[in-house]
């Protein structure tokens, strides 16, 4: 059986695909940055300190216990108002996550500009378990009399 006519037109062997245009490389990190900025704008314009403006935290409504996310929206609202100390007091983790997200998106944007793919940080098992352990300690401590400084305001 003669297959020369099938393989004769194939000239892509050993060639790398053409690089994607710049706008296609930058679109995903710019969309992520836009979503983050839109979230900040919404939380800045609509004050979460007003009771019921975003509903209730289901964990707090059912148990009366602050979850690790309680106070997160108030924290971000305070941060967009320039009240960093109030933001840290409302939810310490929310401020850290906003900073981590911003660093991730900026790194992604720089790498996309250079034609590289995005990267996730390499975390060892010890780091991941330490994070979850600290999250549990944070959750418990903010609900005790000794951790009132961690309770959302």
């Amino acid at each position: 059986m003669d297959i020369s006519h099938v393989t004769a037109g194939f000239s892509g062997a050993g060639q790398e695909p053409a690089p994607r245009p710049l706008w296609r490389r930058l679109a995903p990190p710019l969309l992520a940055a836009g979503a983050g900025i839109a979230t900040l704008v919404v939380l800045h314009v609509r004050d979460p300190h007003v009771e019921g403006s975003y509903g209730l935290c289901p964990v707090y409504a059912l148990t009366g216990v602050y979850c690790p996310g309680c106070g997160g929206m108030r924290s971000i609202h305070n941060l967009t108002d320039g009240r960093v100390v109030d933001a840290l007091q409302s939810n310490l983790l929310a401020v850290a996550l906003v900073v981590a997200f911003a660093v991730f998106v900026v790194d992604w944007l720089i790498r996309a500009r250079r034609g590289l793919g995005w990267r996730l940080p390499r975390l060892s098992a010890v780091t991941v378990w330490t994070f979850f352990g600290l999250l549990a300690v944070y959750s418990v401590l903010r609900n005790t009399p000794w951790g009132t400084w961690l309770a959302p305001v």
Side-chain angles (χ1 to χ4, degrees):
M1 177 174 185
D2 183 26
I3 60 168
S4 61
H5 67 283
V6 175
T7 59
F10 182 70
S11 62
Q15 292 181 344
E16 293 185 23
R20 294 186 324 166
L22 182 62
W23 71 270
R24 291 208 46 184
R25 293 191 317 252
L26 294 181
L30 288 175
L31 286 172
I37 291 169
T39 302
L40 292 176
V41 168
V42 166
L43 287 171
H44 177 74
V45 172
R46 187 169 178 188
D47 189 0
H49 289 93
V50 176
E51 190 172 335
S53 62
Y54 286 97
L56 299 171
C57 170
V59 174
Y60 187 75
L62 292 173
T63 65
V65 173
Y66 296 123
C67 72
C70 280
M73 289 193 290
R74 291 183 294 243
S75 176
I76 303 308
H77 176 78
N78 290 337
L79 196 61
T80 61
D81 277 347
R83 298 189 319 249
V84 178
V85 174
D86 290 343
L88 290 169
Q89 189 175 6
S90 288
N91 192 316
L92 187 64
L93 293 178
V95 176
L97 287 174
V98 166
V99 171
F101 179 75
V103 168
F104 173 75
V105 169
V106 167
D107 178 63
W108 188 11
L109 192 59
I110 291 169
R111 289 177 61 83
R113 174 74 176 97
R114 294 178 180 161
L116 303 171
W118 65 310
R119 65 177 167 191
L120 292 174
R122 288 180 171 72
L123 302 174
S124 69
V126 172
T127 303
V128 172
W129 285 109
T130 302
F131 171 76
F132 283 122
L134 289 173
L135 188 65
V137 168
Y138 175 76
S139 300
V140 170
L141 188 60
R142 74 189 314 211
N143 287 291
T144 64
W146 305 285
T148 54
W149 58 279
L150 290 173
V153 291

